Amino acid sequence: MKRIDIRYGGDVYSVGGRDFDELRQEILTGLEGGKYWLTVNDGEGMRRDAQLLITPGVPIVLIPIPNPDGE
């Protein structure tokens, strides 16, 4: 997988080098405590870390982006 795009608050962020199912489970496990801070990349090109506060009722979309070669 090339990356996972994340739509949150009307913006698009990304996470690289992660397994889709593991990231989804990590978020679900974090929500068991009521809230969870997720580290993502903001923007393209040079990496800029951003923290998204994930809480129940806040819409978040995970979009797996495959490698162009199909891996």
Side-chain angles (χ1 to χ4, degrees), residues 28-46:
L28 290 173
T29 300
L31 282 173
E32 290 175 1
K35 61 184 174 183
Y36 175 70
W37 287 99
L38 177 63
T39 302
V40 298
N41 182 42
D42 175 33
E44 296 182 16
M46 181 183 248

Side-chain angles (χ1 to χ4, degrees), residues 7-31:
R7 292 184 189 242
Y8 177 93
D11 292 313
V12 178
Y13 304 92
S14 65
V15 175
R18 300 287 307 270
D19 177 78
F20 181 82
D21 290 328
E22 287 177 6
L23 178 60
R24 182 174 54 188
Q25 187 57 51
E26 178 182 316
I27 292 168
L28 290 173
T29 300
L31 282 173

Side-chain angles (χ1 to χ4, degrees), residues 2 9 28 31 34 45-46 49 54 56 58 61 65:
K2 182 175 179 179
L28 290 173
L31 282 173
M46 181 183 248
D49 283 346
I54 311 297
V58 173
V61 179
I65 308 296

